[in-house]
Amino acid sequence: MKPEADNKPLYVTQPAMPPLRDFLPYLEQIWDNKILTNCGPYHQQLEQALAQYLGVKYISLFANGTLALMTALQSMRISGEVITTPYSFVATAHAMLWNGIKPVFVDIEPGGFNIDPRKIEAAITPQTTAIMPVHCYGHPCDVGRIEEIASNYGLKVIYDAAHAFGVQSGGSSVLLQGDLSVLSFHATKVFNTFEGGAIVSPDAKTKRHIDHLKNFGIVDEVTVVAPGINGKMNEISAAFGLLQLKNIDMALQQRAEIDHKYRAGLRGIDGIHCPKPPASAVHNHSYFPILVQAGYRLSRDGLFQKLRDADIYARRYFYPLISEFPMYRGMPSAATANLPAATLVSAQVICLPMHPELTDAHVEKIVQIIRTA
Ligand code: T4K
C-alpha cells in the first residue's frame, strides 16, 4: 500500500488502472488489424487466459454481466419461476424479467449474506425450473446443499457469480458449481474490462450454444439457430482484460491487506460487526461490508452520512432489497415478513471503500471516523 492519503473523494469501489503506456501496444495492434469486435484475436486470447487463471475449462466473454445473466437463463431454456435472493444488485432479478420469468424471493441465512438453503424447498412450486443464488461479496453459497435440493427436484442452478472472480471453495473454483456461473467484469469489480462479463460452462457443447446466443444466434453466414442477442465483448475491453490479468495477483494481495487492516482497526467497537467469509474459502475481498448494530452511537444512516460528509462514498449495498423495488414488491415472496434476515442486514449494512489503491492513511481515516463518530 502507498503510505500517504490525499484529499480526493474515496469511492466504495474503484478500478486499479495500469499505466496508460502499457496499454498503448494493445491499442496499436487493434488499430493495425482493424478487428474491433465479433470475437476477434484479443477476445479469443482473453477467454483462454481467463479459463487458465480461474481454473475452469469453458468460458464465454460478454459485453456485461447482465447480458450474460440473461443469456445464461435463455441457454438453459429456463421459464416459469426461478428461486433467488432479494439481497443482490437489481440485475439478478431483472435478467429474469427480460426472459419472462417470475423471480421468487427466498430469505438469506441469518448471520450471512447468501440465500438460505433451508428455506428453498418451501418456495418450490410446479412452475419452478431453476435456482439463481448469488455469491454475495464473493462469499461462497452453501453449494453442496443447493446442489442436493436442485437434484432432488430436477432444477437447474445458475450462479450469479458477479462478485466471485477468483474465489475458491473446497479446493477448486466456485465457478465450477451449478449448471452455469455468471461473472461481471464491470469497472467496479475485482477484475474489470471497463464493462464486461462471462459465462462459465461445464462442457464444449454448452459453450458453443452460448457463443451462438451472444452473437444473434448466428452459426455461419447462412445459419441462425436462435433469437440470440448482441452480447459480445469488444476488442478494447478484451485487451484491457489481458493487461489487467498481469496484475491481478498483486491486486488481490493488496485487497487482502486492506481487509486485514480494516478488521484490526475496527476491532472492539461496540455495535460494529465485520462479517467474515467462510474460513475454508479462498476469498477475493471484493467488498468490505460492515453491519451497524445496536450499541453503536449512530444509526446506520447516521454513520453513512458522517462518512459522506468526509468525502468517503461508502455504499449501502444492498439497500433497498431487490424485492422492495416497484416491479417486484407486489409479489407474494417479496413481503417483508418472508424476508426477515435480508431486511435486517439491508438496514444495517455499509460497504466501506475497498480497492487496491487505498493507502494505509485512507484506511486509518475511515477507521478513525467510525471509531470517534
Ligand atoms: N449481479 C450482481 C450480484 C452484481 O453486483 C452486478 C453488478 C450484476 C449482476 C450485473 O453486472 P454488470 O451488468 O454491471 O456487469 C455498481 C455497478 O455498476 C454494478 O456493476 C455492480 N453490480 C453494482 C454492485 O455496483 P452502482 O450503480 O452502485 O455503480 P456506481 O456508478 O454508483 O459506481 C460505484 C462507485 O464506483 C462510484 O461511487 C465510483 C466508482 N466508479 C464507478 C465507475 C462506473 C469508478 O471509480 N469508476 C467507474 O468507472 O452499480
Side-chain angles (χ1 to χ4, degrees):
M1 270 197 279
K2 292 180 208 157
E4 283 167 25
D6 47 43
N7 290 324
K8 286 189 197 152
L10 289 181
Y11 296 112
V12 61
T13 47
Q14 212 163 44
M17 300 300 281
L20 183 58
R21 65 175 174 280
D22 292 354
F23 195 43
L24 295 179
Y26 293 87
L27 290 179
E28 278 167 7
Q29 188 70 47
I30 292 170
W31 256 247
D32 248 23
N33 66 20
K34 297 184 175 54
I35 303 291
L36 310 187
T37 186
N38 286 10
C39 310
Y42 283 131
H43 182 287
Q44 290 173 36
Q45 281 177 45
L46 184 60
E47 283 195 347
Q48 280 170 18
L50 278 175
Q52 192 176 0
Y53 181 83
L54 294 169
V56 303
K57 272 200 172 147
Y58 304 101
I59 188 162
S60 303
L61 295 178
F62 274 78
N64 60 60
T66 306
L67 284 168
L69 280 173
M70 288 162 56
T71 304
L73 288 162
Q74 186 194 15
S75 72
M76 297 263 136
R77 299 180 190 280
I78 304 298
S79 61
E81 296 177 3
V82 171
I83 290 173
T84 192
T85 168
Y87 193 78
S88 181
F89 188 59
V90 74
T92 309
H94 277 3
M96 296 177 198
L97 293 197
W98 275 98
N99 276 285
I101 294 164
K102 177 178 166 192
V104 173
F105 299 108
V106 163
D107 205 7
I108 59 171
E109 294 170 297
F113 299 111
N114 293 331
I115 195 164
D116 188 344
R118 290 168 308 176
K119 301 214 169 122
I120 291 177
E121 279 186 89
I124 296 173
T125 73
Q127 284 72 48
T128 310
T129 53
I131 309 172
M132 184 178 278
V134 179
H135 301 298
C136 190
Y137 310 135
H139 296 198
C141 293
D142 184 347
V143 292
R145 187 68 196 111
I146 291 170
E147 178 59 42
E148 215 172 285
I149 298 166
S151 80
N152 285 348
Y153 287 86
L155 305 176
K156 299 282 186 201
V157 182
I158 299 175
Y159 280 101
D160 180 336
H163 302 173
F165 185 92
V167 172
Q168 295 189 15
S169 177
S172 60
S173 170
V174 80
L175 304 172
L176 295 170
Q177 299 294 332
D179 293 280
L180 297 172
S181 284
V182 177
L183 288 153
S184 164
F185 304 148
H186 183 262
T188 55
K189 296 297 192 290
V190 164
F191 170 84
N192 92 82
T193 55
F194 281 50
E195 290 270 5
I199 302 180
V200 174
S201 309
D203 52 63
K205 188 171 168 223
T206 309
K207 172 175 161 49
R208 205 161 37 246
H209 180 46
I210 287 169
D211 287 345
H212 292 154
L213 289 179
K214 77 175 189 191
N215 187 28
F216 313 96
I218 293 176
V219 173
D220 59 40
E221 276 179 42
V222 291
T223 320
V224 175
V225 290
I229 202 160
N230 182 357
K232 298 167 287 146
M233 179 181 282
N234 70 67
E235 285 293 280
I236 291 191
S237 288
F240 191 73
L242 283 166
L243 181 56
Q244 285 269 78
L245 212 47
K246 293 187 177 171
N247 302 319
I248 191 70
D249 286 332
M250 204 215 300
L252 289 170
Q253 178 59 30
Q254 287 163 329
R255 285 174 175 275
E257 285 166 18
I258 294 164
D259 182 288
H260 185 74
K261 288 186 172 126
Y262 268 137
R263 283 182 201 284
L266 296 171
R267 195 165 296 137
I269 304 178
D270 281 346
I272 296 293
H273 178 50
C274 307
K276 276 188 166 174
S280 58
V282 173
H283 195 43
N284 65 6
H285 309 283
S286 45
Y287 293 87
F288 194 87
I290 63 167
L291 301 179
V292 185
Q293 298 177 327
Y296 190 66
R297 285 178 294 267
L298 295 176
S299 66
R300 186 275 303 271
D301 290 347
L303 176 58
F304 177 72
Q305 191 55 47
K306 192 104 197 154
L307 290 164
R308 196 149 277 202
D309 292 344
D311 265 355
I312 294 160
Y313 289 80
R315 291 293 283 270
R316 291 164 292 191
Y317 292 140
F318 288 100
Y319 164 84
L321 296 173
I322 300 178
S323 47
E324 290 166 9
F325 291 119
M327 61 299 289
Y328 302 107
R329 66 178 165 225
M331 298 176 171
S333 69
T336 305
N338 185 46
L339 309 167
T343 304
L344 183 68
V345 172
S346 174
Q348 295 181 339
V349 74
I350 297 182
C351 285
L352 298 181
M354 170 51 92
H355 44 87
E357 288 177 3
L358 281 185
T359 64
D360 286 0
H362 290 140
V363 173
E364 274 158 31
K365 179 178 169 187
I366 295 165
V367 165
Q368 208 48 28
I369 290 170
I370 299 173
R371 200 166 266 291
T372 59

